[in-house]
Amino acid sequence: MATLSSTTKESNNQEVGEKAIAHDENVLQKHVAFFDRNDDGIIYPWETFQGFRAIGCGIPLSTVAAIFINFGLSRKTRPDKFPSIFLPIEVKNIQRGKHGSDSGVYDSEGRFVPSKFEEIFSKHSRTHPGALTADELMGMLKANRVPKDYGGWLASYTEWKILYVLCKDKDGLLHKDTIRAVYDGSLFEMMEKEHSEKKKK
């Protein structure tokens, strides 16, 4: 998959993909909004499934992702509400679902942290500047692990493994621009467009 080209602005805004991000903006909401297929602020498992299918994932992966993601985030994003068998995720509270053992690129309020994003590459990109190999990606995940945070380990591994499988280039590299674009959801939009165009051919 082609990587996304973008530039970084060292000011009050940070470029992610092609979108400028204000320092106080909840980027995590934008990251998940792609899966809110009817834009009602709620993401149900079938919408998560539809989102994964829209970016080119097969039925098995889309099904597992929908169950895993909604089961893990529904209760966390619906504080003080009775659990629902429909496993809805409330987009406005998505920062409550932030798991441990992650990169720290999203802070506790869902905001994008440029310095943490750059650390991914300054610490772990060794063989190809601005890109991660499969081994370097695993090294990053291990470095971010919080002791005994098994749920966080699983969540991080699953997220990054799916991203790597879907977005690595022909040389097995996951590029910086691609990773940057996933943080605000613009990557999902691009992948949906590419998948839609392939289906028409």
Side-chain angles (χ1 to χ4, degrees):
M1 176 172 293
T3 58
L4 302 179
S5 60
S6 60
T7 57
T8 301
K9 291 184 178 180
E10 297 299 334
S11 62
N12 290 331
N13 289 345
Q14 176 74 20
E15 288 283 340
V16 177
E18 298 178 352
K19 301 178 181 179
I21 292 179
H23 175 68
D24 61 350
E25 185 175 0
N26 188 324
V27 185
L28 188 53
Q29 288 184 7
K30 296 175 69 176
H31 170 77
V32 302
F34 172 81
F35 296 93
D36 181 11
R37 306 302 285 178
N38 61 358
D39 296 317
D40 66 350
I42 304 293
I43 304 172
Y44 290 97
W46 49 90
E47 291 181 287
T48 305
F49 175 87
Q50 292 167 2
F52 272 87
R53 292 289 287 153
I55 62 177
C57 296
I59 291 177
L61 175 58
S62 300
T63 301
V64 172
I67 295 171
F68 177 80
I69 291 171
N70 282 73
F71 183 81
L73 295 179
S74 180
R75 189 71 185 96
K76 292 179 180 179
T77 62
R78 304 176 70 248
D80 305 321
K81 293 184 179 180
F82 193 77
S84 170
I85 61 172
F86 297 110
L87 301 178
I89 297 171
E90 294 193 7
V91 175
K92 68 179 181 180
N93 295 323
I94 193 61
Q95 68 276 4
R96 293 176 179 267
K98 187 174 178 294
H99 59 76
S101 300
D102 66 356
S103 63
V105 176
Y106 293 125
D107 69 10
S108 61
E109 298 300 319
R111 297 171 298 201
F112 182 78
V113 183
S115 61
K116 288 293 184 180
F117 176 76
E118 294 299 330
E119 276 185 17
I120 293 175
F121 303 93
S122 64
K123 290 184 177 181
H124 305 287
S125 179
R126 303 299 184 190
T127 56
H128 300 272
L132 297 176
T133 65
D135 288 342
E136 289 168 346
L137 178 59
M138 289 305 301
M140 180 194 73
L141 294 177
K142 290 179 180 178
N144 290 336
R145 286 179 180 174
V146 174
K148 299 183 179 180
D149 176 29
Y150 304 116
W153 297 5
L154 178 61
S156 290
Y157 175 82
T158 303
E159 292 167 354
W160 283 96
K161 186 64 174 180
I162 291 174
L163 178 63
Y164 180 80
V165 169
L166 293 178
C167 298
K168 65 182 178 181
D169 69 8
K170 59 182 178 63
D171 297 315
L173 299 175
L174 187 60
H175 289 267
K176 183 176 184 178
D177 289 345
T178 302
I179 296 173
R180 182 185 288 123
V182 79
Y183 278 105
D184 75 342
S186 62
L187 179 67
F188 302 138
E189 297 168 4
M190 185 197 76
M191 292 174 70
E192 180 179 30
K193 182 178 179 181
E194 288 184 352
H195 182 61
S196 177
E197 290 173 351
K198 288 179 181 178
K199 288 172 64 177
K200 293 177 181 178
K201 293 180 180 179

